Amino acid sequence: DVKVTQSSRYLVKRTGEKVFLECVQDMDHENMFWYRQDPGLGLRLIYFSYDVKMKEKGDIPEGYSVSREKKERFSLILESASTNQTSMYLCASSYRTDGYTFGSGTRLTVV
Amino acid sequence: AQSVTQLDSQVPVFEEAPVELRCNYSSSVSVYLFWYVQYPNQGLQLLLKYLSGSTLVKGINGFEAEFNKSQTSFHLRKPSVHISDTAEYFCAVSHSNFGNEKLTFGTGTRLTIIP
């Protein structure tokens, strides 16, 4: 089974902190994605990557950056966390039209 | 640009009754369509997908969906639901552009099964 592992299930950070969310997949997928999930808004795409060192903005990239130095790892960075970034963050990877495989999510609370 | 509309945010259904969760999409090009399920405190899991061919697609856990191009719909159905089907269901669409499988998701439908 393809596995997508997110390093933390729950995270609490203070306003202004720099936050790193890590995601690792073990099936050599080229495509990786970061979404945030909020009640009533569904999933919104933050950033995605089709290959190592490549990244593209999604629909809501403001306040976020990403890093993909190795094929299996895709990191989401909150440069200066704010309370409106409190959310569930979901990482996913995919191969062609197989559909996404999601991680279990990281519930981030910024206080 | 593509978009997905899930008209029903919450659907309560009695156990063993049938259910239909509605999904409509808009896109100017050919699309791929997906349904995902999210159980409490978990990530999303693929239920089924339509890429091409037969418009009736069967997935896991007894679910099926029908692609209707003229109505731009991809409704999810199950003839008899179980308590374990309680979850949130997301419809998603992507352009059928090889190498670009970026998905756009709907806002989700919360299915509650009443014993």
Side-chain angles (χ1 to χ4, degrees):
Chain A
D1 275 359
V2 177
K3 269 197 174 172
V4 177
T5 304
Q6 295 184 231
S7 53
S8 306
R9 288 299 305 273
Y10 300 94
L11 215 50
V12 180
K13 295 292 182 181
R14 294 196 181 278
T15 302
E17 276 192 78
K18 189 169 186 176
V19 181
F20 293 86
L21 303 183
E22 305 288 347
C23 176
V24 177
Q25 51 96 1
D26 66 359
M27 278 299 287
D28 204 35
H29 284 177
E30 288 164 347
N31 307 322
M32 296 190 75
F33 307 84
W34 274 107
Y35 285 84
R36 65 176 282 176
Q37 181 181 11
D38 300 288
L41 298 178
L43 278 73
R44 294 178 291 166
L45 182 63
I46 305 172
Y47 267 96
F48 57 105
S49 169
Y50 292 135
D51 204 347
V52 176
K53 296 194 185 296
M54 293 184 68
K55 59 185 178 184
E56 292 196 37
K57 293 180 180 179
D59 301 318
I60 52 164
E62 296 78 21
Y64 303 94
S65 62
V66 290
S67 171
R68 194 162 181 204
E69 296 296 319
K70 293 185 177 181
K71 193 173 187 179
E72 67 270 19
R73 185 180 297 270
F74 192 36
S75 304
L76 179 70
I77 304 156
L78 286 66
E79 296 291 342
S80 177
S82 64
T83 54
N84 63 13
Q85 293 179 308
T86 291
S87 186
M88 170 71 89
Y89 290 87
L90 292 167
C91 175
S93 70
S94 76
Y95 175 71
R96 297 192 180 181
T97 58
D98 288 349
Y100 287 9
T101 299
F102 281 89
S104 298
T106 296
R107 188 168 294 280
L108 173 67
T109 302
V110 182
V111 299
Chain B
Q2 57 204 19
S3 67
V4 178
T5 302
Q6 292 182 249
L7 290 169
D8 305 306
S9 60
Q10 297 191 54
V11 173
V13 180
F14 285 105
E15 194 173 13
E16 298 183 6
V19 68
E20 178 180 85
L21 305 183
R22 296 181 292 168
C23 172
N24 288 88
Y25 69 92
S26 66
S27 176
S28 57
V29 298
S30 296
V31 296
Y32 297 145
L33 292 155
F34 303 80
W35 275 99
Y36 286 83
V37 60
Q38 185 179 34
Y39 299 106
N41 298 315
Q42 295 186 27
L44 278 71
Q45 176 183 351
L46 181 65
L47 263 182
L48 48 78
K49 62 184 177 184
Y50 171 79
L51 304 180
S52 64
S54 173
T55 57
L56 184 63
V57 180
K58 294 192 183 296
I60 62 172
N61 301 339
F63 283 93
E64 63 182 31
E66 186 154 21
F67 170 58
N68 187 320
K69 189 174 182 179
S70 62
Q71 297 188 9
T72 60
S73 67
F74 190 54
H75 300 331
L76 182 70
R77 302 185 183 101
K78 187 170 182 178
S80 176
V81 295
H82 188 265
I83 289 286
S84 60
D85 293 323
T86 295
E88 190 152 23
Y89 293 79
F90 292 91
C91 182
V93 63
S94 73
H95 287 162
S96 54
N97 174 18
F98 181 80
N100 179 355
E101 293 82 41
K102 185 177 66 162
L103 292 181
T104 299
F105 286 84
T107 52
T109 297
R110 187 170 297 279
L111 177 62
T112 301
I113 309 302
I114 305 164

